[in-house]
Amino acid sequence: MLGYFLVGLAILMLAPALLDIYFSNPDWIAFALSSLFVGLLGLLLAVSTANYKLEHLTIRQAFLLTTASWIVMPVCGALPFLSLGIGFENAFFESVSGFTTTGSTVLIGLDGMPPGLLFWRSLTQWIGGVGIIVMAILLMPLLRIGGMQLFRTESSDRGEKIVARATDLTRLIGGVYIMLTLTCAILYVFSGMSLFDAVNHAMTTLSSGGFSTHDASFAYFESTAAEWVAVVFMLASGLPFVVLIKSLTKNPKALLQDPQARAFIFVIIILSSMTALYLGIENKFTFGRAVVEALFVVISIITTTGYGLGDYTAWGPPMMGFFLMLTFIGGCTGSTSGGIKIFRFIVFFGTVRAYMNKMIRPDQVVPVRYGDTKITPELAFSVLAFLVVYMATVGLITVILGGLGLDLVTAMSAATTAVSNVGPGLGDVVGPIGNFADIPNSAKIVLSAAMLLGRLELFTVLVLFNPQFWR
């Protein structure tokens, strides 16, 4: 299976090679050689194991395949970046940031970079985005990680099933993903972007990745129309794709009926309103500008897209703490967003409320519900265990980065943004107008591991270090 994945990756590497040939850029050679190497490696793996037939994956094989694929793909995807002479640590960091749709970057001078490399950065995020959706809908519920079993597609209630087979669901997800990307690109063109910029930003918007073709990110365009397009499609990237498919194919009211989608939209409205009021009162923004910037920045961080629209940390110290808090939230399960995810907060607050009611009346039975679904003690424990490990991981990585020479603000925000797959952190070094190029190479390796841990929902990787797994 890894061999097939690598063959597919090798074929995709030909797209930026052809783009460089079109623009008469010699960097096409790097992509051609990378494609040849990765393709041969993939074929070797596939052919050498062709005689082994596997009817279905076991739980252990699913854990191994998921972790292995998300390590092997970024390693191979880093090969074209080596043509920039930035060293393997930087190339691997950039590739991991792309496939995990984090959006942190070590590259400077994007405006003058070869078009093939810019397109490859965007393509890695677009691939990672659809891969994350499929993994969250089809694989994570099987692995029972962090309450993800709540989202099983093979429900006993056949009326709730969208399609009968997982392959059909994957095909629908791919179709909707492509349709939304094309629509976004077209609207970006109408908002004033060039076709090249529009295609790249459409891919990194729907994947909630945030890579841009310019150092100034979205601030480069100075277009309110483009910002509104980004707001709409970043919001779409944070919604559960299964519910989007339901609303497009069967039930137009599905989004309003889904508890996670409702909570997601409610949180964005409240937090954006608070931010707009602050900008109007403290920073003297006009009403229209305050609304646009508040929506753009809040949605960009919550959906873990991470587009830059200037230095929002300059809005004042209260905003720095506020935005650090937002990096933990994340979008909906089954979306391209990272973070803790809205459904876990729903389960967490429901569990806390039930516990507090039991403190007042110990004999009272207080069920915890997610919509119409009753949350079992096992599922509640799974969510709480995930939250504890999540916060512990951020804390541990912060300590490690501090030991590698980073100051507290940089270390903590970099750890948070890596595990949550957001992109920009806080401070002058890794902030919204900063860059990860200046941090030590050892810190980049640590952050690369943190991005992979966060993208794979932590336990997918951590379970491999349990001796019981190998017995």
Side-chain angles (χ1 to χ4, degrees), residues 111 188 190-194 197 201 212-230 289 292-293 296 308-310:
D111 300 77
Y188 274 146
F190 281 114
S191 70
M193 287 188 188
S194 68
D197 282 342
H201 284 84
S212 178
T213 51
H214 303 280
D215 288 328
S217 191
F218 237 83
Y220 171 86
F221 301 106
E222 297 181 346
S223 168
T224 303
E227 291 162 12
W228 276 112
V229 173
R289 197 62 215 160
V292 173
E293 296 221 12
F296 187 97
L309 198 61

Side-chain angles (χ1 to χ4, degrees), residues 393-406:
T393 303
V394 172
L396 178 61
I397 292 170
T398 300
V399 172
I400 294 172
L401 293 176
L404 294 174
L406 275 62

